[in-house]
Amino acid sequence: MNWLNGIYNFRIVSDYFETFLNGIFNTVWITLVCLGLSVFFGIFLALMRMSSISVMWRTAAAYIQFVRATPLLIQIYLVYYGLPGLIGNFFDETQTGIIALTLHTTPYMAEIIRAGIISVPKTQTEGAQAVGMSSAQAMYHIILPQAIAKLISPLLGQAVVLLKDTSLLSIIAVFELMGAGLIMFSETVSATESYVTTAICYLLIYLMMLVASGFIQRKLGGTATYAT
Amino acid sequence: MEWFAQKWQVVESLAPFLLHGLWMTFQVSMIAIILGSLLGAILGVMKTLDSRALRLCIDAYMHFFRGTPYLVQLYLIYFVLPSLGIAWLQFDSYTAAIVSLTLYTASYVTAIVASAIDAVPRGQEEAARACGMTKAQRLYHIIVPQALRLTVPPMASVYVIVIKSTAVLSVIGLSELTRQGETSILRMPQDTMFIYALIAGLYFLYCYPVLRFARWAERRVGSSAAAQENA
């Protein structure tokens, strides 16, 4: 094992076991919170984007295009330096980070949801109207359930992107997995141990998400495959 | 009016600085896109060959680069490789940027090329074989020309991702657009928000045409290729 110690000293890493565990925990919960929020707001943004009122869809489209054409890092900086100016020092770094990531991910979710809604055949809407549903009812009871079943796989793909994006929050001093690696590097100055460990942790989360997404697709995707 | 005059002064004094950053961003992203596309195309074709070992290796590479954040990859290449003590792996920030971004681009391009080749109907390959073409001839004359069309829309979206990823290079001190902005902010801290908005605008100018092209190409080729990419 001595040759391994020369390249990757796991004794140092074991000292930081708890730091990395906390980092993983923070990364996971930040990802989950942002995922929930961005899907929730994404539904509204998608509906806004598909609205027939010009002001509504133009605002939504402008927001979506802006977010898609600028780097996340710049968006994080804009929120991090801009938010205190707007509402005062109300949020801490983690909350600011969650806001920035949610603002970033919502348009991607909205585009995915919009594609899903469009893919539901028009006859479904007409059928709902024929039985006397309002357009809101048709959306809630008929369109969205079918759209969501079709969305699962692109949504999970976006969730993986979100997981990776949380690493950029380390730049505004949020403590998560990348932050754990940076702390270890600044204390031990051993790049290999710090960053290889970080990469391994991300890969583990990623592989777990791959397994989980396969499971979810088999569980939830069933009805959607019958419908088409 | 006074506000405009003051902001205009900021723009005027920062313009050469930020434009140099934009040029650097353009340069690095273009080199990475070209090298990454070449490497990705080769790996993508190799992935569809009938070699299990080869496919496993390429899959491992793809999962590694798609499963870890680009920031981590950059740190690995900039900080970890030099500590191995091999002379030619002692990258400066410019080389590290290009190497990491190329490998990152290639991991996406590989997936696109491989799935485009899979999307070409099997009958094409069988017909070419019936005509007595070798594997290389089939790929070169029949499969790749048809697959190429399908790769255009998802490829353009990946290029936008790559261009946006160059902002991360500011953490290793490469003087690209984001880094130039941060340096300017040290000079004019009262205009932090304005300078970041300016940088966002410059990125937008660079990325938006590519995004529009992606959408145009998608409409021309049909959305099937893009839909596959999301899976």
Side-chain angles (χ1 to χ4, degrees):
Chain A
M1 283 312 247
N2 271 334
W3 62 272
L4 183 62
N5 252 346
I7 310 168
Y8 181 81
N9 190 341
F10 46 85
R11 286 203 190 89
I12 309 180
V13 179
S14 64
D15 286 346
Y16 284 84
F17 184 69
E18 226 160 282
T19 315
F20 277 103
L21 216 57
N22 284 335
I24 291 175
F25 177 73
N26 279 358
T27 291
V28 170
W29 82 256
I30 291 174
T31 307
L32 288 178
V33 169
C34 288
L35 186 64
L37 288 175
S38 58
V39 169
F40 178 74
F41 290 121
I43 293 173
F44 289 101
L45 190 64
L47 294 177
M48 240 176 108
R49 178 69 183 77
M50 296 187 339
S51 148
S52 51
I53 306 163
S54 153
V55 184
M56 289 273 255
W57 75 257
R58 273 177 206 281
T59 321
Y63 170 48
I64 291 172
Q65 293 300 353
F66 173 78
V67 168
R68 285 176 35 137
T70 51
L72 171 61
L73 188 57
I74 301 292
Q75 290 160 17
I76 290 175
Y77 282 144
L78 281 172
V79 172
Y80 184 64
Y81 291 107
L83 212 56
L86 284 176
I87 56 167
N89 279 323
F90 190 66
F91 296 112
D92 65 18
E93 282 92 357
T94 311
Q95 289 158 340
T96 313
I98 289 173
I99 293 172
L101 264 184
T102 305
L103 283 173
H104 174 78
T105 312
T106 301
Y108 289 94
M109 292 302 182
E111 288 291 278
I112 292 172
I113 290 166
R114 186 165 75 104
I117 291 176
I118 289 172
S119 76
V120 176
K122 221 179 150 47
T123 46
Q124 297 285 328
T125 321
E126 289 164 3
Q129 274 169 358
V131 295
M133 284 188 180
S134 70
S135 63
Q137 279 179 319
M139 193 52 97
Y140 184 75
H141 293 292
I142 309 293
I143 309 297
L144 281 183
Q146 295 185 54
I148 285 170
K150 280 180 190 170
L151 291 183
I152 297 160
S153 86
L155 224 58
L156 289 169
Q158 195 61 43
V160 172
V161 175
L162 178 62
L163 166 76
K164 295 192 287 173
D165 282 346
T166 55
S167 69
L168 286 185
L169 296 183
S170 64
I171 293 173
I172 58 165
V174 175
F175 176 74
E176 34 68 78
L177 189 43
M178 186 74 240
L182 291 172
I183 286 176
M184 183 178 168
F185 180 62
S186 66
E187 285 175 10
T188 63
V189 209
S190 48
T192 316
E193 283 79 9
S194 325
Y195 296 134
V196 171
T197 313
T198 314
I200 291 171
C201 291
Y202 273 111
L203 272 180
L204 285 179
I205 304 178
Y206 168 73
L207 291 177
M208 277 194 280
M209 280 177 92
L210 272 190
V211 173
S213 81
F215 178 74
I216 294 171
Q217 262 167 24
R218 272 196 305 280
K219 264 279 191 242
L220 291 179
T223 47
T225 41
Y226 290 127
T228 46
Chain B
M1 262 345 264
E2 203 179 316
W3 187 87
F4 277 111
Q6 195 262 328
K7 294 300 175 204
W8 180 245
Q9 225 169 21
V10 175
V11 172
E12 256 185 341
S13 63
L14 290 184
F17 230 62
L18 294 186
L19 286 178
H20 173 265
L22 185 61
W23 166 238
M24 192 59 147
T25 294
F26 179 75
Q27 197 183 327
V28 170
S29 56
M30 273 303 156
I31 295 175
I33 282 171
I34 292 167
L35 294 181
S37 302
L38 285 175
L39 180 64
I42 294 168
L43 289 178
V45 171
M46 279 163 68
K47 192 165 146 36
T48 57
L49 300 179
D50 303 319
S51 162
R52 212 177 134 72
L54 206 61
R55 197 162 50 232
L56 265 169
C57 288
I58 296 174
D59 271 343
Y61 158 75
M62 272 170 53
H63 279 306
F64 178 78
F65 278 89
R66 303 181 84 174
T68 54
Y70 177 61
L71 185 60
V72 173
Q73 296 160 19
L74 185 62
Y75 279 138
L76 285 179
I77 285 170
Y78 189 58
F79 290 115
V80 175
L81 289 188
S83 71
L84 293 178
I86 302 165
W88 61 272
L89 286 177
Q90 315 270 338
F91 297 133
D92 62 347
S93 60
Y94 186 76
T95 324
I98 285 175
V99 170
S100 62
L101 211 52
T102 300
L103 290 173
Y104 181 67
T105 314
S107 70
Y108 281 95
V109 174
T110 306
I112 293 171
V113 170
S115 74
I117 289 178
D118 281 339
V120 174
R122 269 207 84 71
Q124 298 283 332
E125 162 110 43
E126 285 158 5
R129 196 185 302 180
C131 296
M133 286 186 174
T134 63
K135 179 80 191 168
Q137 281 177 324
R138 274 177 266 156
L139 271 175
Y140 183 75
H141 292 291
I142 309 293
I143 310 291
V144 170
Q146 293 182 65
L148 214 55
R149 220 171 93 83
L150 293 175
T151 62
V152 176
M155 213 78 117
S157 328
V158 167
Y159 292 162
V160 176
I161 296 177
V162 173
I163 295 168
K164 291 193 290 179
S165 298
T166 59
V168 175
L169 296 173
S170 61
V171 300
I172 59 165
L174 189 76
S175 63
E176 44 70 72
L177 189 47
T178 308
R179 180 74 193 166
Q180 293 293 82
E182 283 165 0
T183 321
S184 317
I185 283 162
L186 295 180
R187 264 171 60 199
M188 305 178 178
Q190 73 279 13
D191 286 311
T192 304
M193 277 309 278
F194 180 72
I195 292 170
Y196 277 130
L198 213 60
I199 298 170
L202 288 174
Y203 275 113
F204 187 86
L205 284 181
Y206 185 12
C207 291
Y208 188 63
V210 188
L211 270 177
R212 283 310 287 254
F213 172 75
R215 215 163 58 185
W216 176 81
E218 208 167 293
R219 222 171 283 154
R220 285 212 53 177
V221 176
S223 49
S224 57
Q228 270 175 6
E229 207 16 58
N230 276 326

